[in-house]
Amino acid sequence: MDISYWRELNDGFTDFLVEKGYTHDITRHYRGTINLLIRFANANGYKAYTQEIGEKFLKSEERLMYLQQAGYQRQRLVIRRFNEYLDDGKYSYTYLRVNYECPEAFEEVLEHYLKSLETANLKQCTIDKHRVFTIKLCRDFARNGIESWDTVDAKALAGAFDRATSKAQFAACIRKLFGFLVKEGIVKYNYAGIVPQMHYWKRIPSVYSSDEIEAILGSVDRSNEVGKRNYAILLLAARLGMRSSDISFLRFENIDFVKAIIEFKQRKTGVANQLTLLPEIAEALQDYINNARGDSVEPYIFLTCRESLRKGVLPQLSSGAICRVAAKHFRQSGIEFGDRHHSAHALRMSLASGLVAENVPYEAVRTILGHEDPNAITHYVKFDTESLRSCALDVPMASGRFAEYLASGKGAL
């Protein structure tokens, strides 16, 4: 069994939960369930995760009969969230193959479409998602009297959308499909425009002021080995906005101290990124490497502490452990974080917020954070509080009947 595959899977899921705003206790509970899933996979010889394995795990837990119904339902929720996390295509896991077939009249175009997605270098799980969606769409067309792509029109597509069980998936997939159909001349018009955009509320990320960030960094005792390591980790997150997964997998080959650059492929997106190695970070890294890390032959820079090594823990520091390092020093700093998240991701978001507040161009911020989507940065303006404050309007003085109403005292609480 490739333990590193499953460990990376669990660590990535932990990061996903942290970014979604889950509390430390809930994240720990979810991680524990995935550890049970990994034991189940190991016992049954499974080398990679699929949704089918998740279902088999749940059935095995149900048969054990030691869980109350509420506990079993919580485990089902964990596996559902785990599948949701993997839906983003971060890992090479496979959608369950749909048992039904595509109607014959639509099948040739479907295969042509899937080939185009492969040529575009989409991940296999993403291609499988489009395959499942397109088959469902074609079957809906066939059931409602649409016998070929030639007879698809706006009415047929609108009806399919109304009948869709997952309108969010419909809206996400239909534009790519019809873009292909129009380009290839299979349909004349791009009817995907009639499908409404599905908007989702996004939680505004937690951010911290520069003074609070300095307090967090200042809470680290750099006189010992663990402190030297933790300080370098926090600097990478706070000054460069690196994700915990990228810090975890940072190798010596990724850092050029002479040219003062860090180059790596992002774990989440697979996109290459290059960052400037600031003198402050270079000094902290060299202090850890030369005076605290030891002479391990591991290619990864950040390792677990020596006590953990003696217990047989894998030497590379996991992304989940890096999140816990950040949370530890948030607490030790003494700052009041209230309902704000306190994790490595909050340091990344704080960097973005600070850069936007300093009028750094969005394109530059996007590049630093490693986003490819040009719109990925625009939501950061939502938590640029100081800039928004300058746009506030003065409240006008009450007048007329409203002023009389206030003066009467009836408006008082």
Side-chain angles (χ1 to χ4, degrees):
M1 181 180 183
D2 183 3
I3 189 63
S4 63
Y5 164 82
W6 294 99
R7 178 169 165 266
E8 182 181 342
L9 211 61
N10 204 359
D11 288 345
F13 183 49
T14 300
D15 291 344
F16 170 79
L17 295 173
V18 171
E19 292 182 15
K20 287 286 187 183
Y22 285 71
T23 66
H24 174 71
D25 288 342
I26 293 177
T27 300
R28 184 175 59 184
H29 164 68
Y30 276 40
R31 189 176 178 89
T33 297
I34 300 304
N35 281 331
L36 291 176
L37 169 66
I38 293 172
R39 292 179 191 174
F40 171 81
N42 185 28
N44 290 276
Y46 297 125
K47 296 182 179 179
Y49 179 77
T50 66
Q51 288 188 28
E52 185 178 14
I53 291 173
E55 287 300 319
K56 288 181 178 179
F57 162 72
L58 289 173
K59 288 179 180 178
S60 73
E61 290 291 288
E62 188 177 26
R63 284 196 298 270
L64 291 176
M65 299 298 291
Y66 68 88
L67 285 175
Q68 295 181 352
Q69 184 63 22
Y72 177 68
Q73 290 303 324
R74 282 194 294 270
Q75 286 198 338
R76 290 199 68 86
L77 176 61
V78 173
I79 297 302
R80 190 157 64 245
R81 289 288 174 270
F82 192 54
N83 291 336
E84 176 190 338
Y85 156 65
L86 291 168
D87 248 355
D88 292 335
K90 183 175 177 181
Y91 291 93
S92 56
Y93 96 113
T94 319
Y95 270 83
L96 287 177
R97 285 290 171 181
V98 184
N99 293 327
Y100 47 73
E101 296 180 355
C102 181
E104 186 176 353
F106 298 92
E107 192 170 10
E108 183 178 350
V109 171
L110 169 64
E111 294 304 318
H112 189 22
Y113 175 52
L114 297 179
K115 288 290 184 183
S116 74
L117 298 180
E118 291 177 7
T119 303
N121 293 322
L122 269 65
K123 294 183 179 179
Q124 186 59 50
C125 63
T126 304
I127 295 173
D128 285 341
K129 179 173 69 174
H130 283 282
R131 170 187 169 273
V132 170
F133 164 76
T134 307
I135 290 178
K136 288 181 178 180
L137 178 65
C138 293
R139 287 174 62 85
D140 181 89
F141 284 158
R143 284 193 301 267
N144 290 277
I146 307 299
E147 298 179 352
S148 67
W149 290 109
D150 296 337
T151 54
V152 172
D153 57 15
K155 182 179 179 181
L157 192 61
F161 176 73
D162 288 339
R163 291 184 291 271
T165 55
S166 175
K167 290 180 169 52
Q169 185 193 45
F170 197 106
C173 295
I174 197 66
R175 287 170 176 79
K176 183 177 288 293
L177 172 62
F178 267 77
F180 165 80
L181 295 174
V182 171
K183 180 181 177 182
E184 296 296 319
I186 298 168
V187 298
K188 188 174 181 180
Y189 302 108
N190 191 340
Y191 298 116
I194 69 170
V195 177
Q197 294 276 5
M198 306 298 290
H199 297 288
Y200 299 94
W201 176 83
K202 289 185 178 181
R203 180 188 177 100
I204 297 177
S206 299
V207 297
Y208 293 81
S209 69
S210 57
D211 289 341
E212 289 174 321
I213 297 297
E214 292 307 314
I216 294 166
L217 294 172
S219 71
V220 183
D221 179 6
R222 298 161 61 188
S223 64
N224 57 64
E225 296 175 355
V226 174
K228 293 178 189 297
R229 181 198 66 186
N230 291 356
Y231 186 68
I233 287 171
L234 293 175
L235 281 179
L236 289 170
R239 302 291 195 239
L240 298 182
M242 289 181 64
R243 296 184 182 92
S244 56
S245 56
D246 293 327
I247 296 174
S248 170
F249 282 86
L250 196 65
R251 302 160 68 102
F252 286 99
E253 65 192 47
N254 300 131
I255 300 179
D256 189 326
F257 285 100
V258 177
K259 295 181 180 179
I261 58 173
I262 300 178
E263 293 182 294
F264 59 97
K265 181 179 287 188
Q266 297 172 93
R267 302 292 299 179
K268 181 175 182 179
T269 64
V271 177
N273 197 11
Q274 182 184 98
L275 300 171
T276 300
L277 180 60
L278 303 175
E280 177 186 21
I281 300 176
E283 181 181 346
L285 282 170
Q286 289 175 333
D287 185 27
Y288 165 62
I289 292 169
N290 296 330
N291 303 314
R293 184 180 180 276
D295 55 0
S296 171
V297 296
E298 280 292 320
Y300 302 106
I301 292 178
F302 295 108
L303 307 180
T304 55
C305 62
R306 291 179 180 176
E307 288 77 12
S308 296
L309 284 174
R310 285 198 289 269
K311 295 175 184 177
V313 178
L314 291 174
Q316 178 193 5
L317 195 67
S318 70
S319 56
I322 287 171
C323 288
R324 292 190 287 276
V325 165
K328 168 187 173 182
H329 290 288
F330 269 91
R331 293 191 294 269
Q332 287 186 357
S333 69
I335 63 175
E336 294 291 335
F337 41 79
D339 60 352
R340 290 179 294 176
H341 300 316
H342 39 289
S343 65
H345 191 70
L347 296 176
R348 173 178 165 85
M349 292 298 95
S350 298
L351 173 68
S353 174
L355 293 173
V356 170
E358 294 172 5
N359 295 318
V360 175
Y362 279 10
E363 180 64 20
V365 179
R366 181 187 69 80
T367 301
I368 291 171
L369 296 187
H371 289 296
E372 280 196 307
D373 182 359
N375 297 317
I377 279 305
T378 55
H379 73 284
Y380 292 154
V381 74
K382 295 178 183 176
F383 52 86
D384 180 10
T385 308
E386 296 306 316
S387 295
L388 291 176
R389 188 173 285 125
S390 67
C391 302
L393 300 176
D394 293 332
V395 178
M397 295 295 293
S399 60
R401 292 184 178 180
F402 184 53
E404 294 174 3
Y405 175 74
L406 293 176
S408 70
K410 295 180 180 178
L413 295 176

